[in-house]
Amino acid sequence: MQQSPSMKSLLEQTMERRAAFRADPELYFPWIMKRCTVRILLVADSFIDFSTHDFGLSTFLDTLINDGLFYVKFDITLAHLRNDATDDEMAVGTPGVVNRITGFVFDNPAHFTPTMYDEVFLFAAETYFHFGSYSTRFGNPGTYPADRLGNQELVNLSAFMDGGGGVFATGDHGALGKGIGNEVKRIRNMRYWDSTSNDFNLDEVSMSGPRRNDTNHIGHNATQEFDDQSDDIPQTIQPRLYRTRFHHYCRGFYPHPLLCGPNGIIRVLPDHPHEGECIVPSDLTLTYPYDNSVEYPNVTGGTYRISPEIVATSVVPSGNTAGFKSPTVFQRFGAICAYDGHRAGVGRATTDATWHHFININLVGAEGYPPSDPKSMGFLATPQGMVHLNNIKAYFRNIALWLARPSNQACFRRRMCWKLIYQERVIEAVTVNPNVQLQSASSELIYSIGSHARDVLHKLVRPCLTYRIMLDFLQEYRPDFATLLDPWSADSGGEDGGRLNWVDPSPLLDMALGAAIVGLRSANPHPSESTAEAYRLATVDISMAQAEIGVNNGLDSMSEAIKEIAQMLGGKRGL
């Protein structure tokens, strides 16, 4: 039958609308896709600031503000310990910053309380607060010692961390950053905050000795130059790779979530001629002296303590001189250290070897070079450099995501659930009939929906983060199975006695995710703007509880399959 022009036009409009909806559901359901808010406090001191200058953090700041993530919004407060930080240094005029504080202290409730923020980033360069620009501290040595944060400041930070707040901290070589970081709970034991030896030849974090952490790579000429740190050639790092107990022949498969990049594992960082060094504590039984709390508590429900771990190492090439320094000795050192406090009921923490991985001079070039020199533009100088920069920026975003409180993480998962049911492949799998009941759905259907959702997650977030997200879905309702499948768990990947991996329970993750999506869709067959936010979140909680039904369904199916195989093999062997 021939269509009229008006009918043909209407059909075309309908098809266009359907395609646009599938490509970007937020256009039609923006209330469903409201992003989770994470409150971040960025603290700097000394010559580190938030400007566009060499030692500014504007590139890092811009990465968080314009993150491009559909499920999170970072509300950022900028703080500087100096009283005289200028408008330029405080990035006045930069959109996306919700507050700015100079003369910052951690014991002023207008500046900081243990519940005011979700994350704290410490970019520390000062060794002693003995200058007039720190007049708040310099004028009150009884409350604010010259060489560290005050007692009450450290107690407040301890309460923040034990309440689930995340902390990132970094300094540079030697004692740079000691003023802030040296006494902060857990952070104090996760990197060196001072020289390791008075002997110039033995100091592991010296500025110019042979044992210094010099990661500079030679640039676009044959000579070694200090400012090779500002070109488009990064250092290569070695991420730690993890496995589950069910992947005995894939021992190096998953990086730490901090190092999941847009194209796989992040293996680059900016280089620098003298970095600090991340370490793990030698004693996990420490008591924190400022509030007598346990520094490294036991895993929740367990008897062992969670330890920080080095998640990436850097390499010092032999013979590096950076133009004028002593030739280096080949060595490896800790570049990034991470502590998963969520597994022990406290906040997460991470340290980095140096803030040179974050400031402009190592990312987008050094001031003073002509435009023709790659050192004037850093990683922006070449297409390959921009690929490296995108990976480094992914690391920045990962820190902010990973440190978020457990409640933030739960919000992320719920937003992802809403997003998933309005993606094309999942729509085709489940939303054609929103009245499908989970109890009557087959294992094959639930698994199919979950596997489609996993593929969609690969596109929405970085592929190597998908597994972590799916584990978190399962963790809420079946932590026993989540632990079995978790490559980052301290008790995963144990000795297997040489046995082959005949059983792989990882499809249970797809079953859990598929069941949660079926439950969400059946509970919300026709969502509308009038649906209250609290109701929608409660509905997600109820529907996500269906994940356990999916796991149980999968276990039943797996058990039946194993029985059939056992019977078949028994018959073949004449047993």
Side-chain angles (χ1 to χ4, degrees), residues 46 400 557:
S46 190
S557 177

Side-chain angles (χ1 to χ4, degrees), residues 3 79 98 143 197 217 264 275 285 349 374 384 389 400 403 447 495 559:
Q3 296 176 337
V98 300
T143 302
S197 173
H217 282 236
E275 302 192 13
T285 66
Q384 185 57 47
L389 183 59
L403 288 178
Y447 175 76
E495 293 298 322
S559 178

